[in-house]
PDB file of all heavy atoms in Angstrom:
ATOM      1  N   ILE V   1      13.788 -14.915  -1.590  1.00 87.00           N
ATOM      2  CA  ILE V   1      13.883 -14.482  -2.986  1.00 87.00           C
ATOM      3  C   ILE V   1      15.179 -14.967  -3.623  1.00 87.00           C
ATOM      4  O   ILE V   1      16.108 -15.363  -2.928  1.00 87.00           O
ATOM      5  CB  ILE V   1      13.807 -12.947  -3.111  1.00 87.00           C
ATOM      6  CG1 ILE V   1      14.896 -12.290  -2.258  1.00 87.00           C
ATOM      7  CG2 ILE V   1      12.444 -12.434  -2.738  1.00 87.00           C
ATOM      8  CD1 ILE V   1      14.970 -10.796  -2.390  1.00 87.00           C
ATOM      9  N   GLY V   2      15.215 -14.930  -4.938  1.00 86.00           N
ATOM     10  CA  GLY V   2      16.427 -15.200  -5.690  1.00 86.00           C
ATOM     11  C   GLY V   2      16.483 -16.540  -6.389  1.00 86.00           C
ATOM     12  O   GLY V   2      17.185 -16.687  -7.387  1.00 86.00           O
ATOM     13  N   THR V   3      15.754 -17.514  -5.893  1.00 87.00           N
ATOM     14  CA  THR V   3      15.833 -18.858  -6.468  1.00 87.00           C
ATOM     15  C   THR V   3      15.416 -18.874  -7.933  1.00 87.00           C
ATOM     16  O   THR V   3      16.084 -19.483  -8.769  1.00 87.00           O
ATOM     17  CB  THR V   3      14.959 -19.832  -5.653  1.00 87.00           C
ATOM     18  OG1 THR V   3      15.377 -19.787  -4.297  1.00 87.00           O
ATOM     19  CG2 THR V   3      15.079 -21.246  -6.171  1.00 87.00           C
ATOM     20  N   ASN V   4      14.322 -18.205  -8.258  1.00 88.00           N
ATOM     21  CA  ASN V   4      13.823 -18.221  -9.636  1.00 88.00           C
ATOM     22  C   ASN V   4      14.735 -17.472 -10.601  1.00 88.00           C
ATOM     23  O   ASN V   4      14.735 -17.759 -11.801  1.00 88.00           O
ATOM     24  CB  ASN V   4      12.413 -17.627  -9.705  1.00 88.00           C
ATOM     25  CG  ASN V   4      11.407 -18.502  -9.002  1.00 88.00           C
ATOM     26  OD1 ASN V   4      11.543 -19.718  -8.979  1.00 88.00           O
ATOM     27  ND2 ASN V   4      10.401 -17.888  -8.408  1.00 88.00           N
ATOM     28  N   ASP V   5      15.504 -16.519 -10.104  1.00 90.00           N
ATOM     29  CA  ASP V   5      16.385 -15.735 -10.964  1.00 90.00           C
ATOM     30  C   ASP V   5      17.566 -16.546 -11.481  1.00 90.00           C
ATOM     31  O   ASP V   5      18.104 -16.256 -12.549  1.00 90.00           O
ATOM     32  CB  ASP V   5      16.936 -14.530 -10.195  1.00 90.00           C
ATOM     33  CG  ASP V   5      15.853 -13.553  -9.819  1.00 90.00           C
ATOM     34  OD1 ASP V   5      15.198 -13.758  -8.792  1.00 90.00           O
ATOM     35  OD2 ASP V   5      15.669 -12.587 -10.567  1.00 90.00           O
ATOM     36  N   LEU V   6      17.996 -17.532 -10.720  1.00 88.00           N
ATOM     37  CA  LEU V   6      19.220 -18.253 -11.064  1.00 88.00           C
ATOM     38  C   LEU V   6      19.128 -19.055 -12.353  1.00 88.00           C
ATOM     39  O   LEU V   6      20.138 -19.434 -12.917  1.00 88.00           O
ATOM     40  CB  LEU V   6      19.636 -19.163  -9.911  1.00 88.00           C
ATOM     41  CG  LEU V   6      20.129 -18.417  -8.675  1.00 88.00           C
ATOM     42  CD1 LEU V   6      20.367 -19.388  -7.537  1.00 88.00           C
ATOM     43  CD2 LEU V   6      21.373 -17.623  -8.988  1.00 88.00           C
ATOM     44  N   LYS V   7      17.923 -19.300 -12.808  1.00 87.00           N
ATOM     45  CA  LYS V   7      17.746 -20.032 -14.062  1.00 87.00           C
ATOM     46  C   LYS V   7      18.255 -19.225 -15.256  1.00 87.00           C
ATOM     47  O   LYS V   7      18.771 -19.776 -16.212  1.00 87.00           O
ATOM     48  CB  LYS V   7      16.273 -20.386 -14.246  1.00 87.00           C
ATOM     49  CG  LYS V   7      15.989 -21.257 -15.433  1.00 87.00           C
ATOM     50  CD  LYS V   7      14.536 -21.672 -15.470  1.00 87.00           C
ATOM     51  CE  LYS V   7      14.264 -22.580 -16.646  1.00 87.00           C
ATOM     52  NZ  LYS V   7      12.868 -22.973 -16.731  1.00 87.00           N
ATOM     53  N   ASP V   8      18.119 -17.893 -15.176  1.00 90.00           N
ATOM     54  CA  ASP V   8      18.448 -17.037 -16.315  1.00 90.00           C
ATOM     55  C   ASP V   8      19.584 -16.045 -16.067  1.00 90.00           C
ATOM     56  O   ASP V   8      20.010 -15.368 -17.001  1.00 90.00           O
ATOM     57  CB  ASP V   8      17.207 -16.236 -16.734  1.00 90.00           C
ATOM     58  CG  ASP V   8      16.062 -17.141 -17.156  1.00 90.00           C
ATOM     59  OD1 ASP V   8      16.319 -18.108 -17.879  1.00 90.00           O
ATOM     60  OD2 ASP V   8      14.917 -16.868 -16.746  1.00 90.00           O
ATOM     61  N   GLU V   9      20.044 -15.924 -14.816  1.00 92.00           N
ATOM     62  CA  GLU V   9      21.054 -14.917 -14.512  1.00 92.00           C
ATOM     63  C   GLU V   9      22.216 -15.515 -13.726  1.00 92.00           C
ATOM     64  O   GLU V   9      22.065 -16.535 -13.065  1.00 92.00           O
ATOM     65  CB  GLU V   9      20.438 -13.778 -13.695  1.00 92.00           C
ATOM     66  CG  GLU V   9      19.351 -13.028 -14.437  1.00 92.00           C
ATOM     67  CD  GLU V   9      18.820 -11.864 -13.638  1.00 92.00           C
ATOM     68  OE1 GLU V   9      19.624 -11.112 -13.063  1.00 92.00           O
ATOM     69  OE2 GLU V   9      17.594 -11.722 -13.579  1.00 92.00           O
ATOM     70  N   GLU V  10      23.342 -14.844 -13.782  1.00 93.00           N
ATOM     71  CA  GLU V  10      24.518 -15.264 -13.030  1.00 93.00           C
ATOM     72  C   GLU V  10      24.311 -14.982 -11.537  1.00 93.00           C
ATOM     73  O   GLU V  10      23.662 -13.998 -11.176  1.00 93.00           O
ATOM     74  CB  GLU V  10      25.758 -14.510 -13.521  1.00 93.00           C
ATOM     75  CG  GLU V  10      26.167 -14.878 -14.934  1.00 93.00           C
ATOM     76  CD  GLU V  10      26.581 -16.332 -15.043  1.00 93.00           C
ATOM     77  OE1 GLU V  10      27.308 -16.823 -14.156  1.00 93.00           O
ATOM     78  OE2 GLU V  10      26.171 -16.990 -16.020  1.00 93.00           O
ATOM     79  N   PRO V  11      24.863 -15.835 -10.681  1.00 90.00           N
ATOM     80  CA  PRO V  11      24.691 -15.647  -9.233  1.00 90.00           C
ATOM     81  C   PRO V  11      25.094 -14.262  -8.731  1.00 90.00           C
ATOM     82  O   PRO V  11      24.425 -13.693  -7.870  1.00 90.00           O
ATOM     83  CB  PRO V  11      25.585 -16.731  -8.631  1.00 90.00           C
ATOM     84  CG  PRO V  11      25.656 -17.787  -9.680  1.00 90.00           C
ATOM     85  CD  PRO V  11      25.607 -17.058 -10.993  1.00 90.00           C
ATOM     86  N   GLN V  12      26.169 -13.692  -9.268  1.00 94.00           N
ATOM     87  CA  GLN V  12      26.615 -12.374  -8.824  1.00 94.00           C
ATOM     88  C   GLN V  12      25.576 -11.300  -9.138  1.00 94.00           C
ATOM     89  O   GLN V  12      25.355 -10.388  -8.338  1.00 94.00           O
ATOM     90  CB  GLN V  12      27.962 -11.996  -9.482  1.00 94.00           C
ATOM     91  CG  GLN V  12      29.108 -12.880  -9.079  1.00 94.00           C
ATOM     92  CD  GLN V  12      29.179 -14.184  -9.872  1.00 94.00           C
ATOM     93  OE1 GLN V  12      28.371 -14.468 -10.758  1.00 94.00           O
ATOM     94  NE2 GLN V  12      30.153 -15.015  -9.531  1.00 94.00           N
ATOM     95  N   GLN V  13      24.938 -11.411 -10.291  1.00 95.00           N
ATOM     96  CA  GLN V  13      23.900 -10.453 -10.661  1.00 95.00           C
ATOM     97  C   GLN V  13      22.679 -10.601  -9.761  1.00 95.00           C
ATOM     98  O   GLN V  13      22.090  -9.612  -9.347  1.00 95.00           O
ATOM     99  CB  GLN V  13      23.497 -10.629 -12.137  1.00 95.00           C
ATOM    100  CG  GLN V  13      22.499  -9.615 -12.628  1.00 95.00           C
ATOM    101  CD  GLN V  13      23.029  -8.193 -12.585  1.00 95.00           C
ATOM    102  OE1 GLN V  13      24.211  -7.942 -12.685  1.00 95.00           O
ATOM    103  NE2 GLN V  13      22.128  -7.253 -12.424  1.00 95.00           N
ATOM    104  N   VAL V  14      22.302 -11.830  -9.457  1.00 93.00           N
ATOM    105  CA  VAL V  14      21.165 -12.072  -8.565  1.00 93.00           C
ATOM    106  C   VAL V  14      21.479 -11.504  -7.177  1.00 93.00           C
ATOM    107  O   VAL V  14      20.645 -10.831  -6.572  1.00 93.00           O
ATOM    108  CB  VAL V  14      20.831 -13.582  -8.479  1.00 93.00           C
ATOM    109  CG1 VAL V  14      19.732 -13.838  -7.464  1.00 93.00           C
ATOM    110  CG2 VAL V  14      20.427 -14.106  -9.852  1.00 93.00           C
ATOM    111  N   ALA V  15      22.678 -11.761  -6.692  1.00 93.00           N
ATOM    112  CA  ALA V  15      23.072 -11.248  -5.376  1.00 93.00           C
ATOM    113  C   ALA V  15      23.008  -9.727  -5.339  1.00 93.00           C
ATOM    114  O   ALA V  15      22.527  -9.130  -4.370  1.00 93.00           O
ATOM    115  CB  ALA V  15      24.476 -11.731  -5.025  1.00 93.00           C
ATOM    116  N   LYS V  16      23.469  -9.084  -6.410  1.00 95.00           N
ATOM    117  CA  LYS V  16      23.442  -7.614  -6.474  1.00 95.00           C
ATOM    118  C   LYS V  16      22.002  -7.100  -6.419  1.00 95.00           C
ATOM    119  O   LYS V  16      21.694  -6.124  -5.731  1.00 95.00           O
ATOM    120  CB  LYS V  16      24.121  -7.139  -7.750  1.00 95.00           C
ATOM    121  CG  LYS V  16      24.259  -5.640  -7.846  1.00 95.00           C
ATOM    122  CD  LYS V  16      24.896  -5.221  -9.164  1.00 95.00           C
ATOM    123  CE  LYS V  16      26.390  -5.457  -9.070  1.00 95.00           C
ATOM    124  NZ  LYS V  16      27.130  -4.882 -10.199  1.00 95.00           N
ATOM    125  N   LYS V  17      21.098  -7.759  -7.141  1.00 95.00           N
ATOM    126  CA  LYS V  17      19.693  -7.353  -7.134  1.00 95.00           C
ATOM    127  C   LYS V  17      19.068  -7.529  -5.746  1.00 95.00           C
ATOM    128  O   LYS V  17      18.282  -6.696  -5.298  1.00 95.00           O
ATOM    129  CB  LYS V  17      18.887  -8.160  -8.159  1.00 95.00           C
ATOM    130  CG  LYS V  17      19.150  -7.763  -9.587  1.00 95.00           C
ATOM    131  CD  LYS V  17      18.277  -8.590 -10.513  1.00 95.00           C
ATOM    132  CE  LYS V  17      18.428  -8.153 -11.937  1.00 95.00           C
ATOM    133  NZ  LYS V  17      17.467  -8.815 -12.822  1.00 95.00           N
ATOM    134  N   ILE V  18      19.415  -8.623  -5.066  1.00 93.00           N
ATOM    135  CA  ILE V  18      18.881  -8.873  -3.723  1.00 93.00           C
ATOM    136  C   ILE V  18      19.363  -7.792  -2.763  1.00 93.00           C
ATOM    137  O   ILE V  18      18.591  -7.245  -1.970  1.00 93.00           O
ATOM    138  CB  ILE V  18      19.258 -10.281  -3.234  1.00 93.00           C
ATOM    139  CG1 ILE V  18      18.516 -11.331  -4.061  1.00 93.00           C
ATOM    140  CG2 ILE V  18      18.955 -10.445  -1.748  1.00 93.00           C
ATOM    141  CD1 ILE V  18      18.989 -12.759  -3.825  1.00 93.00           C
ATOM    142  N   VAL V  19      20.646  -7.464  -2.826  1.00 94.00           N
ATOM    143  CA  VAL V  19      21.194  -6.413  -1.965  1.00 94.00           C
ATOM    144  C   VAL V  19      20.502  -5.086  -2.250  1.00 94.00           C
ATOM    145  O   VAL V  19      20.110  -4.361  -1.325  1.00 94.00           O
ATOM    146  CB  VAL V  19      22.723  -6.299  -2.151  1.00 94.00           C
ATOM    147  CG1 VAL V  19      23.263  -5.036  -1.501  1.00 94.00           C
ATOM    148  CG2 VAL V  19      23.419  -7.527  -1.588  1.00 94.00           C
ATOM    149  N   ASN V  20      20.320  -4.751  -3.518  1.00 95.00           N
ATOM    150  CA  ASN V  20      19.655  -3.491  -3.870  1.00 95.00           C
ATOM    151  C   ASN V  20      18.218  -3.447  -3.370  1.00 95.00           C
ATOM    152  O   ASN V  20      17.756  -2.407  -2.906  1.00 95.00           O
ATOM    153  CB  ASN V  20      19.709  -3.258  -5.377  1.00 95.00           C
ATOM    154  CG  ASN V  20      21.094  -2.903  -5.854  1.00 95.00           C
ATOM    155  OD1 ASN V  20      21.937  -2.443  -5.085  1.00 95.00           O
ATOM    156  ND2 ASN V  20      21.364  -3.131  -7.129  1.00 95.00           N
ATOM    157  N   LEU V  21      17.512  -4.570  -3.463  1.00 94.00           N
ATOM    158  CA  LEU V  21      16.146  -4.625  -2.936  1.00 94.00           C
ATOM    159  C   LEU V  21      16.163  -4.400  -1.426  1.00 94.00           C
ATOM    160  O   LEU V  21      15.365  -3.626  -0.896  1.00 94.00           O
ATOM    161  CB  LEU V  21      15.486  -5.968  -3.258  1.00 94.00           C
ATOM    162  CG  LEU V  21      14.105  -6.197  -2.655  1.00 94.00           C
ATOM    163  CD1 LEU V  21      13.096  -5.146  -3.109  1.00 94.00           C
ATOM    164  CD2 LEU V  21      13.604  -7.595  -2.981  1.00 94.00           C
ATOM    165  N   GLY V  22      17.074  -5.063  -0.731  1.00 94.00           N
ATOM    166  CA  GLY V  22      17.179  -4.894   0.712  1.00 94.00           C
ATOM    167  C   GLY V  22      17.474  -3.454   1.093  1.00 94.00           C
ATOM    168  O   GLY V  22      16.859  -2.904   2.017  1.00 94.00           O
ATOM    169  N   LEU V  23      18.395  -2.817   0.397  1.00 95.00           N
ATOM    170  CA  LEU V  23      18.728  -1.420   0.686  1.00 95.00           C
ATOM    171  C   LEU V  23      17.542  -0.498   0.421  1.00 95.00           C
ATOM    172  O   LEU V  23      17.289   0.446   1.173  1.00 95.00           O
ATOM    173  CB  LEU V  23      19.936  -0.992  -0.147  1.00 95.00           C
ATOM    174  CG  LEU V  23      21.262  -1.654   0.218  1.00 95.00           C
ATOM    175  CD1 LEU V  23      22.345  -1.295  -0.801  1.00 95.00           C
ATOM    176  CD2 LEU V  23      21.687  -1.275   1.637  1.00 95.00           C
ATOM    177  N   SER V  24      16.796  -0.792  -0.629  1.00 94.00           N
ATOM    178  CA  SER V  24      15.605   0.002  -0.948  1.00 94.00           C
ATOM    179  C   SER V  24      14.560  -0.107   0.167  1.00 94.00           C
ATOM    180  O   SER V  24      13.975   0.898   0.580  1.00 94.00           O
ATOM    181  CB  SER V  24      15.022  -0.473  -2.277  1.00 94.00           C
ATOM    182  OG  SER V  24      13.791   0.134  -2.531  1.00 94.00           O
ATOM    183  N   ILE V  25      14.335  -1.316   0.652  1.00 94.00           N
ATOM    184  CA  ILE V  25      13.367  -1.514   1.736  1.00 94.00           C
ATOM    185  C   ILE V  25      13.843  -0.807   2.999  1.00 94.00           C
ATOM    186  O   ILE V  25      13.058  -0.147   3.688  1.00 94.00           O
ATOM    187  CB  ILE V  25      13.148  -3.025   1.988  1.00 94.00           C
ATOM    188  CG1 ILE V  25      12.418  -3.645   0.797  1.00 94.00           C
ATOM    189  CG2 ILE V  25      12.376  -3.256   3.288  1.00 94.00           C
ATOM    190  CD1 ILE V  25      12.369  -5.158   0.823  1.00 94.00           C
ATOM    191  N   GLU V  26      15.133  -0.897   3.306  1.00 94.00           N
ATOM    192  CA  GLU V  26      15.665  -0.223   4.492  1.00 94.00           C
ATOM    193  C   GLU V  26      15.529   1.296   4.387  1.00 94.00           C
ATOM    194  O   GLU V  26      15.289   1.956   5.392  1.00 94.00           O
ATOM    195  CB  GLU V  26      17.119  -0.615   4.714  1.00 94.00           C
ATOM    196  CG  GLU V  26      17.266  -2.028   5.236  1.00 94.00           C
ATOM    197  CD  GLU V  26      18.710  -2.433   5.478  1.00 94.00           C
ATOM    198  OE1 GLU V  26      19.632  -1.761   4.956  1.00 94.00           O
ATOM    199  OE2 GLU V  26      18.907  -3.422   6.191  1.00 94.00           O
ATOM    200  N   ARG V  27      15.674   1.858   3.197  1.00 94.00           N
ATOM    201  CA  ARG V  27      15.483   3.306   3.016  1.00 94.00           C
ATOM    202  C   ARG V  27      14.023   3.698   3.237  1.00 94.00           C
ATOM    203  O   ARG V  27      13.736   4.725   3.843  1.00 94.00           O
ATOM    204  CB  ARG V  27      15.925   3.738   1.626  1.00 94.00           C
ATOM    205  CG  ARG V  27      17.392   3.992   1.486  1.00 94.00           C
ATOM    206  CD  ARG V  27      17.720   4.707   0.174  1.00 94.00           C
ATOM    207  NE  ARG V  27      17.285   3.982  -1.013  1.00 94.00           N
ATOM    208  CZ  ARG V  27      17.982   3.011  -1.603  1.00 94.00           C
ATOM    209  NH1 ARG V  27      19.141   2.641  -1.114  1.00 94.00           N
ATOM    210  NH2 ARG V  27      17.521   2.420  -2.688  1.00 94.00           N
ATOM    211  N   GLU V  28      13.101   2.875   2.708  1.00 92.00           N
ATOM    212  CA  GLU V  28      11.674   3.192   2.830  1.00 92.00           C
ATOM    213  C   GLU V  28      11.166   3.012   4.252  1.00 92.00           C
ATOM    214  O   GLU V  28      10.331   3.787   4.704  1.00 92.00           O
ATOM    215  CB  GLU V  28      10.859   2.293   1.895  1.00 92.00           C
ATOM    216  CG  GLU V  28      10.946   2.663   0.447  1.00 92.00           C
ATOM    217  CD  GLU V  28      10.046   1.789  -0.405  1.00 92.00           C
ATOM    218  OE1 GLU V  28       8.883   1.569  -0.018  1.00 92.00           O
ATOM    219  OE2 GLU V  28      10.529   1.326  -1.457  1.00 92.00           O
ATOM    220  N   THR V  29      11.613   1.966   4.917  1.00 92.00           N
ATOM    221  CA  THR V  29      11.117   1.655   6.264  1.00 92.00           C
ATOM    222  C   THR V  29      12.286   1.292   7.178  1.00 92.00           C
ATOM    223  O   THR V  29      12.506   0.122   7.485  1.00 92.00           O
ATOM    224  CB  THR V  29      10.101   0.504   6.226  1.00 92.00           C
ATOM    225  OG1 THR V  29      10.754  -0.655   5.692  1.00 92.00           O
ATOM    226  CG2 THR V  29       8.893   0.823   5.403  1.00 92.00           C
TER     227      THR V  29
END
């Protein structure tokens, strides 16, 4: 994930979203 986001968002914002998604998945499973 993340490649498509870089067209419209700053790398730091994309990285933050990826980390948040990962943490969400770890909480669920």
Side-chain angles (χ1 to χ4, degrees):
I1 56 176
T3 304
N4 293 328
D5 295 84
L6 291 174
K7 186 174 182 181
D8 299 317
E9 297 183 45
E10 293 296 317
Q12 295 82 0
Q13 184 63 28
V14 175
K16 185 182 282 190
K17 287 182 176 188
I18 292 170
V19 168
N20 288 338
L21 175 59
L23 292 172
S24 172
I25 291 170
E26 287 181 343
R27 276 192 302 276
E28 285 184 45
T29 60

